Amino acid sequence: MSPSNDIIYNNDRFTDEKYEVLFCSGLPQSFNDSYDHVVQTINGADVSLPYRDLKYKIDWQEKGKSIKSISFLMPQDKTYLGDVFATSPYGLIKKNRTGIGATTLELHSERNSIVVVPTRALAYEKAKNSRIGESDKYSILYVGGRIKDFKIPSIKAYLSDKDIKYKKFIVVIDSLHTLLEKIGEEHFKDYFIMFDEIDSYQYDSSYRPNMEQNFDYYFKFPETQRCMVSATVGKFSNARIENEPVINVTFSSPAPRSINLIHTNDVLTRTKKFIEQHVKSYPDDKILVALNLVTRGILPIINSFPTEIQSLCGILCSSKSQKDAGSYYKEIISSELPSKITFMSCTYFTGIDINERFHLISVANVKFPFTLLSTDKLTQIAGRCRHHEGLLSETIIYNTYDQPDSSIDYNLLQQEIVSDAKLLSDFASKIKRVKYKFPMLIRKFNDIPEDEILEYSQKAYYGSSKVNLLRQVGEDIVPSYFNIDNIIIQANLKNTLYSQPDNLFYALRNEGNNVNAFIEKEEDVIPQKIYEEVEERYFLTTEEERTDLIAQLREKTNSESRIALAQGLRNDCKRVNSVFLEHFIELQKYVPFEKLVEILPKYDNPLKYKTFYNAVLIWALDENHPIKSAMRENFPIGKKLTNVEITRGMNTIWNGILNYGRLNSVIAVRKLGNLFCKVGDRTSSYGDGKKKNVYPILSYDVLGLDCEPVERIPSSENMTRMLRNR
């Protein structure tokens, strides 16, 4: 590739640092905007013989100097990418329509490939059909969560199978790290990697953080051996993605849809009534409801149905919401809907192919901005139906925002959020060094642990939900660019498409769709009692899930196996229980198992846990550690101490040993009782004819653990950097 941005022209090709085009019959005399140049290769993808007249055009960044994107026109609307190309082009592929075979192209190309998909359903569907004869071999190896009755070789066995010339992996994003560890980074150059449905990372990463963590691997592959694909691609905050070459797939004729558009004041009630009407009017038809809200959306609708309709319902959602969905939880491991009435969360908005007809209902609720759907996303959801006759019907139920801000410049907003994220990231990277070298610089500063910056980096912009701006990569805290994209998507949709009832209507119609608009005002709404019952059930299932996690951990006999299991379990449980497991991993080496799992749930927010973590570490210190010696000397068991005595003793530890800076009397008493000693209630004492307030020192077991540590922290350990309560 050229090291500069200037186009390099040869007799039959041109290249810049991102694009390469090879022509069949010499370089054209001039480049214009018409589709009139015949090409043989675009970004490493050879054009198949029947389509050597492939028409394309260049969107120039600077004419003759640098390229913004390359578009090519599909020869016919029903053509698949595999008909046109022998392999996938490298770069960002905007396919602009579902069902044109992007993953199929790469999985059947003559090279080693890794195709990364967002859902198990898509991965399973592609892999199961690659079975070789009656054997247990598959030409495409599935890598992801376990699927019942689907037995596959191990990654190691598949890699060593010499009968399979080209190694093809289809892997669920959460399991990508497992696969790549087996392959080894030194072999990345031997594979082409494709990330399918890349837009789902922007929509889903705020509650599936592993998506962005695993996407980091993309840039470890050579530039010409990687691509991202989606039918609906917007702008990215990550400059490295924006810098990828763009290949745009275009079509000569649109694919209009017939859509019923219902604006209402209560989307859940309207959805409930609409489903009931369809069940009555079309008793033999299936219904699919796209609603990205399980606990506060899907379940209240189902629970408000009569019993006979409830029995017809199923929910397709992530494994993390499985407990909430309860008996309604379904997995789609075939090309048909699992229930007569199937609800699906955004986990399934992409990456599943349904080969039967159904009535589609898509639901957007401005009260929950993460449920809002762009026209592209609505098109993508409709594209889940792969039946040649298409959907039976399509309905969109939505409400609108009462106080939109029409003055937002979304380019400036993106710059603002990225700047905010980088500010926090820079702060987090420097805070540890500043604290260590200048502990007296700012007293309050010393009470801000860097790990809390990550937890409290959530922020909302212009009506969006609160989303974390940061994520952790190894020891570093960095901007979460997919989350930033998600904020911009939410703010944009809420303040434009869903700001007025007519906006969505005109947007869909301008895309060539046939749209019938209706307004429904709901008065007989879903009772509040049903919402309360669902909420109560949510807390119950959270506790049930935690109990199950603890039971699984209890079966392991040593700390190493428990850590490995806990790390694996974190991917498939609720966020609050994922945090529980994270904390368990940190402290299980000190606190006996049964005591830890009993007491740990009480410390479920960051501030409480920070105090608990520090108290455990101090409790676990070797008896000869300088801090323990100072505790015995300054805070003898049974002694009653005044504020002055406590402050003097605490500063011996806090300032003298830990070098955190001096404490005033109020903070000194508080830290003593929270971290070092079990302190009794304040009482009065008389001495030298004066009344004094004193605090009795009861024990050094401040948490009431009443046991010995599993492992002691050595007396030589410098606790200044280990403790988080600066």
Side-chain angles (χ1 to χ4, degrees):
M1 288 299 185
S2 167
S4 71
N5 228 20
D6 289 346
I7 303 293
I8 291 181
Y9 299 92
N10 295 323
N11 288 334
D12 59 354
R13 76 173 64 206
F14 70 80
T15 63
D16 73 353
E17 62 179 3
K18 297 194 296 184
Y19 295 88
E20 182 172 17
V21 177
L22 175 66
F23 295 88
C24 289
S25 55
L27 198 67
Q29 293 296 311
S30 64
F31 293 101
N32 55 48
D33 292 333
S34 65
Y35 291 101
D36 62 358
H37 308 308
V38 180
V39 295
Q40 182 176 328
T41 303
I42 296 179
N43 277 22
D46 290 339
V47 179
S48 300
L49 281 173
Y51 298 106
R52 283 290 168 85
D53 60 345
L54 185 69
K55 297 178 179 179
Y56 85 104
K57 67 178 179 181
I58 298 172
D59 182 6
W60 293 100
Q61 190 83 38
E62 183 179 355
K63 191 81 170 185
K65 290 279 189 180
S66 61
I67 298 170
K68 188 175 182 180
S69 68
I70 293 179
S71 300
F72 68 86
L73 180 67
M74 290 291 274
Q76 295 93 30
D77 276 1
K78 295 298 183 181
T79 308
Y80 293 99
L81 283 177
D83 299 326
V84 179
F85 293 110
T87 59
S88 309
Y90 59 83
L92 175 56
I93 303 172
K94 299 184 178 184
K95 60 182 183 177
N96 292 306
R97 189 174 290 184
T98 59
I100 65 170
T103 56
T104 301
L105 164 62
E106 188 53 44
L107 289 171
H108 290 87
S109 62
E110 294 184 351
R111 62 183 175 190
N112 298 326
S113 307
I114 300 168
V115 176
V116 187
V117 296
T119 67
R120 279 189 288 178
L122 177 59
Y124 169 74
E125 191 66 27
K126 297 289 185 184
K128 76 170 185 178
N129 294 326
S130 72
R131 188 172 182 177
I132 302 172
E134 298 299 319
S135 70
D136 289 331
K137 289 185 179 183
Y138 293 83
S139 60
I140 301 169
L141 189 70
Y142 165 87
V143 181
R146 192 175 1 174
I147 294 176
K148 186 179 179 182
D149 298 328
F150 186 43
K151 297 179 180 179
I152 56 174
S154 67
I155 295 171
K156 182 178 179 181
Y158 178 79
L159 285 170
S160 61
D161 191 334
K162 295 181 180 179
D163 292 336
I164 300 173
K165 182 177 180 181
Y166 298 110
K167 306 303 180 184
K168 300 289 183 179
F169 294 96
I170 187 158
V171 54
V172 184
I173 180 64
D174 294 328
S175 300
L176 180 61
H177 67 285
T178 301
L179 170 63
L180 296 184
E181 284 176 4
K182 298 287 185 183
I183 290 175
E185 189 166 348
E186 68 275 16
H187 296 297
F188 287 3
K189 59 181 173 42
D190 301 324
Y191 288 83
F192 186 93
I193 192 167
M194 168 188 284
F195 280 75
D196 195 22
E197 310 293 0
I198 189 63
D199 65 299
S200 67
Y201 293 63
Q202 296 175 301
Y203 278 86
D204 302 351
S205 68
S206 61
Y207 49 90
R208 289 182 69 187
N210 283 341
M211 296 185 86
E212 188 159 15
Q213 298 289 75
N214 281 296
F215 179 78
D216 290 342
Y217 286 110
Y218 177 83
F219 295 106
K220 292 182 180 292
F221 284 77
E223 294 176 5
T224 58
Q225 289 175 229
R226 67 193 191 202
C227 76
M228 295 171 279
V229 182
S230 180
T232 55
V233 179
K235 191 175 181 182
F236 293 90
S237 300
N238 188 333
R240 294 186 75 183
I241 297 179
E242 280 290 294
N243 196 46
E244 288 288 279
V246 176
I247 307 297
N248 197 34
V249 185
T250 61
F251 299 84
S252 58
S253 61
R257 311 190 322 267
S258 294
I259 301 170
N260 295 312
L261 189 62
I262 302 176
H263 181 272
T264 180
N265 60 313
D266 190 319
V267 293
L268 299 187
T269 298
R270 175 44 30 199
T271 303
K272 175 235 181 190
K273 292 179 179 178
F274 192 82
I275 293 170
E276 289 174 337
Q277 292 165 2
H278 264 57
V279 170
K280 184 177 181 180
S281 301
Y282 308 101
D284 298 325
D285 295 347
K286 287 187 175 181
I287 299 170
L288 177 63
V289 184
L291 173 55
N292 188 29
L293 196 64
V294 176
T295 303
R296 289 172 289 179
I298 294 173
L299 287 172
I301 293 174
I302 293 177
N303 289 359
S304 66
F305 285 143
T307 305
E308 62 271 18
I309 296 183
Q310 288 182 7
S311 65
L312 304 175
C313 295
I315 301 176
L316 295 172
C317 58
S318 70
S319 57
K320 292 189 177 186
S321 298
Q322 179 176 353
K323 290 281 187 181
D324 297 327
S327 61
Y328 298 113
Y329 179 79
K330 303 289 182 183
E331 289 188 335
I332 186 165
I333 54 175
S334 71
S335 57
E336 294 185 350
L337 292 172
S339 306
K340 179 176 176 59
I341 305 169
T342 302
F343 293 81
M344 68 175 181
S345 68
C346 72
T347 302
Y348 288 88
F349 287 1
T350 60
I352 58 170
D353 298 341
I354 303 168
N355 293 326
E356 63 177 338
R357 305 188 76 193
F358 53 86
H359 298 279
L360 173 63
I361 305 169
S362 299
V363 184
N365 189 348
V366 294
K367 289 173 62 177
F368 303 98
F370 54 85
T371 70
L372 298 182
L373 302 165
S374 66
T375 57
D376 283 345
K377 185 60 68 174
L378 289 164
T379 300
Q380 199 171 51
I381 293 169
R384 296 308 98 217
C385 179
R386 298 300 173 86
H387 192 279
H388 67 278
E389 294 184 58
L391 295 165
L392 292 170
S393 70
E394 180 178 0
T395 302
I396 300 168
I397 299 174
Y398 72 109
N399 56 6
T400 46
Y401 187 37
D402 293 333
Q403 299 174 319
D405 188 335
S406 60
S407 65
I408 305 171
D409 183 320
Y410 292 97
N411 287 325
L412 292 178
L413 177 59
Q414 182 190 65
Q415 294 172 22
E416 177 189 349
I417 304 174
V418 170
S419 177
D420 290 348
K422 287 183 176 179
L423 175 67
L424 286 173
S425 176
D426 290 344
F427 179 63
S429 69
K430 292 172 182 173
I431 187 171
K432 191 179 293 186
R433 284 179 292 161
V434 172
K435 284 180 184 179
Y436 180 71
K437 292 203 167 192
F438 303 95
M440 296 295 292
L441 182 62
I442 304 174
R443 290 283 178 85
K444 184 63 180 173
F445 186 76
N446 287 333
D447 283 332
I448 306 176
E450 58 275 5
D451 55 313
E452 279 191 20
I453 298 172
L454 184 68
E455 190 69 31
Y456 290 115
S457 69
Q458 288 190 347
K459 191 173 181 181
Y461 295 79
Y462 295 100
S464 75
S465 303
K466 286 186 176 181
V467 176
N468 280 84
L469 302 186
L470 302 177
R471 64 189 180 99
Q472 189 149 8
V473 179
E475 295 296 319
D476 299 324
I477 293 177
V478 300
S480 176
Y481 289 108
F482 284 134
N483 281 5
I484 293 170
D485 293 340
N486 182 257
I487 293 171
I488 295 167
I489 289 169
Q490 288 187 33
N492 193 345
L493 291 175
K494 193 168 185 177
N495 289 281
T496 56
L497 206 59
Y498 293 90
S499 63
Q500 298 291 336
D502 289 343
N503 288 5
L504 183 57
F505 169 81
Y506 286 117
L508 290 167
R509 196 178 70 172
N510 290 341
E511 291 180 354
N513 299 300
N514 303 311
V515 186
N516 296 310
F518 306 89
I519 297 176
E520 297 283 354
K521 186 171 182 180
E522 307 299 338
E523 295 180 357
D524 181 19
V525 300
I526 296 174
Q528 182 61 31
K529 182 182 178 182
I530 288 179
Y531 292 99
E532 292 171 357
E533 289 172 350
V534 170
E535 195 73 17
E536 184 178 340
R537 171 65 182 163
Y538 172 80
F539 290 113
L540 180 61
T541 57
T542 301
E543 291 183 4
E544 289 174 348
E545 182 183 69
R546 186 185 302 129
T547 299
D548 180 59
L549 294 171
I550 291 170
Q552 292 184 61
L553 291 170
R554 186 179 285 116
E555 292 178 1
K556 301 299 180 181
T557 56
N558 58 67
S559 61
E560 291 78 13
S561 58
R562 281 176 176 159
I563 290 173
L565 176 61
Q567 288 171 336
L569 292 172
R570 288 191 64 196
N571 292 331
D572 292 320
C573 63
K574 296 183 182 182
R575 177 173 172 77
V576 64
N577 285 331
S578 178
V579 172
F580 167 82
L581 291 172
E582 177 187 351
H583 294 166
F584 171 84
I585 290 169
E586 285 189 314
L587 296 179
Q588 55 87 39
K589 67 188 294 186
Y590 303 119
V591 184
F593 177 83
E594 296 299 340
K595 181 61 68 173
L596 181 59
V597 297
E598 173 194 344
I599 197 170
L600 192 53
K602 299 176 184 177
Y603 301 92
D604 58 357
N605 71 49
L607 188 59
K608 285 182 179 179
Y609 178 70
K610 176 191 70 175
T611 302
F612 177 70
Y613 172 87
N614 289 327
V616 166
L617 264 60
I618 292 168
W619 168 79
L621 289 172
D622 186 270
E623 290 301 321
N624 294 321
H625 194 282
I627 290 176
K628 278 290 182 75
S629 298
M631 287 168 61
R632 289 193 297 272
E633 182 178 344
N634 290 279
F635 309 112
I637 302 297
K639 191 78 179 287
K640 295 181 178 180
L641 302 175
T642 65
N643 284 11
V644 173
E645 292 170 321
I646 289 173
T647 303
R648 183 172 58 245
M650 278 299 299
N651 276 319
T652 299
I653 299 171
W654 204 255
N655 187 40
I657 298 175
L658 294 172
N659 199 30
Y660 288 161
R662 298 193 66 80
L663 301 171
N664 61 39
S665 61
V666 174
I667 295 177
V669 172
R670 188 176 74 228
K671 287 191 180 296
L672 176 69
N674 286 340
L675 302 175
F676 294 88
C677 303
K678 194 170 185 178
V679 179
D681 294 335
R682 185 179 67 181
T683 60
S684 297
S685 176
Y686 293 88
D688 300 328
K690 296 181 181 180
K691 179 181 177 181
K692 300 178 182 178
N693 291 325
V694 293
Y695 300 84
I697 306 301
L698 303 180
S699 76
Y700 300 136
D701 185 7
V702 67
L703 297 170
L705 298 174
D706 194 27
C707 60
E708 287 295 311
V710 176
E711 182 180 312
R712 291 276 186 180
I713 298 174
S715 58
S716 59
E717 186 68 59
N718 182 349
M719 297 302 292
T720 300
R721 299 184 182 183
M722 284 190 69
L723 296 177
R724 295 176 182 169
N725 198 38
R726 311 292 207 267

